[in-house]
Amino acid sequence: MDQDRDPQPAGRCTAVHIEDPTPCRGPRDAVTILDGTGNAAAGCEHHGARMLASIDGARIEPGSVVGAATWAFAASQTIRPFCWYASAPRIEASQLSHAKNARRA
Ligand SMILES: [Zn+2]
């Protein structure tokens, strides 16, 4: 059995992308992600960080866990957009993490 797959995908937080197979880590309302167009999603730290890394103009706000937003923001800087697409190209700036783009500049 694949340990990274959530046996109950419907039970994951609302910040998870439908094609991201990973399970939540911690409370599912640890952070809130704002997408910049008026939509908000509560998420765990793990999926909050991934969503933040994947959506241009997204912001993060604290949720139920003190410090989770800070951790997720820091993690998002090192995560490639849509990192669960393992075979996606990683050439252009939009396909690389913020940290990697900062090193290239
Ligand atoms: Zn989650």
Side-chain angles (χ1 to χ4, degrees):
M1 183 177 150
D2 186 349
Q3 295 297 316
D4 284 341
R5 291 217 174 247
D6 187 341
Q8 295 177 305
R12 295 188 295 172
C13 70
T14 55
V16 67
H17 188 280
I18 192 152
E19 294 183 35
D20 184 341
T22 58
C24 288
R25 290 187 199 142
R28 293 171 185 174
D29 61 352
V31 300
T32 299
I33 304 296
L34 306 171
D35 73 355
T37 64
N39 296 308
C44 67
E45 290 181 348
H46 172 69
H47 291 128
R50 284 174 167 227
M51 180 180 260
L52 196 59
S54 302
I55 300 175
D56 266 347
R59 293 187 299 118
I60 190 166
E61 291 191 345
S64 68
V65 178
V66 174
T70 302
W71 179 89
F73 178 80
S76 76
Q77 300 302 297
T78 64
I79 298 171
R80 291 186 314 277
F82 303 96
C83 60
W84 51 91
Y85 294 128
S87 61
R90 295 171 191 144
I91 300 164
E92 297 177 18
S94 65
Q95 299 162 338
L96 302 173
S97 69
H98 293 305
K100 193 148 201 165
N101 282 323
R103 285 196 300 271
R104 292 173 122 203

